Amino acid sequence: MPSASPQLSFPSAYRAGTALQVQRHSNKGFASRTCGIVLIAAGLASLVVVAVVLLRPALPAIVLRVIGFEPVRRIDAPVTEEAVATLAKAARVSAVTFITQDFGPLDPLPGTDLEVTVGDDASGARVLQIVFRDTDMLNLCLQFTGFCEDHGSPIRRAKISVADGLVTISGEAYLDVINVWQAIDIHVAEDRDGLLKIDSISLGDLRYKLPANALGKSIRHIEATLAHVVQQLQVESSGGVFSFAGFDLSANRLVASFR
């Protein structure tokens, strides 16, 4: 049976060639799909980079909105100068010592030239008044906190000013959500009890209320701690000891009264 050999060898060769051809088509299809995925990924990465570049100036504001800060519209209402009660028999005092229950006596840093006056109010009670200027508050900030230094945390390089009926702390705050230091303004106002409270926070051209989330509660806790220290603050001067009575925050100055 000599004819059997060519009949058997032809189909075998055909099947082998067909398998090779199918394998080549399969490799080409896989390579095409891989290239397509790479191009899509590269395109998406490019879009992300472009979006980050375009949105970078707005990222802190977006983050604040996400974590609960609510923007408030700024109202530039005129602030009138409120008269601080004039003391009778007033006399300037050259030196004062601050006393707290937690820290004991605290002498202001050399170079802190506070404007201190002692006199009688309308009822005849003895009153001591201290006028805090921008430089005075900066010196006290350097003495008792790290917020006005280059390496403070979570606020650094802070400057303090009084204008428009607000004490404004301008510095850099660390936003751990996006791992950056961001220029920020903290606006402090006087409340009905004669204490100072955080009114709002400005970031760029937007002003925000303090949120009712964990971050806002943490800020309020710091505010409450400072209020506690101020409320038990005393001043020793002119042979007497005066206890804190309240702040008077006018258009451009902060006055603390002690009785």
Side-chain angles (χ1 to χ4, degrees):
M1 301 175 59
S3 59
S5 178
Q7 292 176 354
L8 291 174
S9 60
F10 179 78
S12 298
Y14 176 79
R15 286 195 299 270
T18 302
L20 181 60
Q21 185 177 7
V22 171
Q23 185 177 3
R24 287 175 179 173
H25 281 297
S26 176
N27 290 338
K28 289 181 179 180
F30 177 76
S32 298
R33 288 194 301 272
T34 303
C35 290
I37 293 173
V38 171
L39 289 175
I40 292 172
L44 291 175
S46 299
L47 290 176
V48 170
V49 171
V50 171
V52 169
V53 171
L54 293 177
L55 292 176
R56 184 176 178 81
L59 277 178
I62 293 173
V63 170
L64 288 181
R65 291 293 301 272
V66 170
I67 62 178
F69 281 87
E70 179 184 351
V72 294
R73 189 175 68 176
R74 182 175 300 176
I75 301 176
D76 295 325
V79 179
T80 58
E81 180 75 23
E82 295 182 4
V84 178
T86 302
L87 300 179
K89 302 177 183 179
R92 290 290 299 271
V93 177
S94 59
V96 295
T97 297
F98 294 102
I99 303 172
T100 66
Q101 296 177 3
D102 298 327
F103 304 103
L106 299 172
D107 292 317
L109 286 174
T112 304
D113 185 20
L114 296 174
E115 181 182 333
V116 184
T117 305
V118 176
D120 299 334
D121 63 8
S123 64
R126 201 71 170 159
V127 177
L128 181 145
Q129 290 181 342
I130 302 178
V131 177
F132 291 98
R133 299 182 296 270
D134 299 351
T135 53
D136 300 328
M137 289 186 285
L138 177 60
N139 287 335
L140 292 173
C141 178
L142 289 169
Q143 182 175 1
F144 300 121
T145 78
F147 299 154
C148 296
E149 300 175 350
D150 289 341
H151 304 290
S153 179
I155 299 172
R156 67 182 183 184
R157 301 173 182 172
K159 305 296 181 184
I160 305 174
S161 61
V162 181
D164 300 328
L166 294 172
V167 176
T168 299
I169 304 169
S170 303
E172 297 177 356
Y174 183 68
L175 302 181
D176 56 356
V177 180
I178 55 177
N179 193 30
V180 297
W181 286 93
Q182 175 65 40
I184 195 170
D185 293 332
I186 301 175
H187 306 288
V188 180
E190 177 190 354
D191 66 9
R192 295 179 180 178
D193 297 325
L195 297 174
L196 298 179
K197 66 175 182 178
I198 297 176
D199 175 74
S200 57
I201 293 177
S202 289
L203 187 64
D205 294 330
L206 293 178
R207 183 172 290 187
Y208 300 89
K209 297 178 181 179
L210 283 182
N213 57 16
L215 180 59
K217 292 178 180 178
S218 176
I219 295 175
R220 290 299 186 196
H221 176 71
I222 296 174
E223 178 185 73
T225 301
L226 292 176
H228 171 72
V229 172
V230 169
Q231 285 177 307
Q232 48 99 32
L233 185 65
Q234 294 180 315
V235 172
E236 183 178 359
S237 180
S238 300
V241 176
F242 301 82
S243 299
F244 177 77
F247 286 110
D248 289 304
L249 179 57
S250 59
N252 56 9
R253 66 174 180 163
L254 175 66
V255 179
S257 296
F258 296 81
R259 297 179 181 275

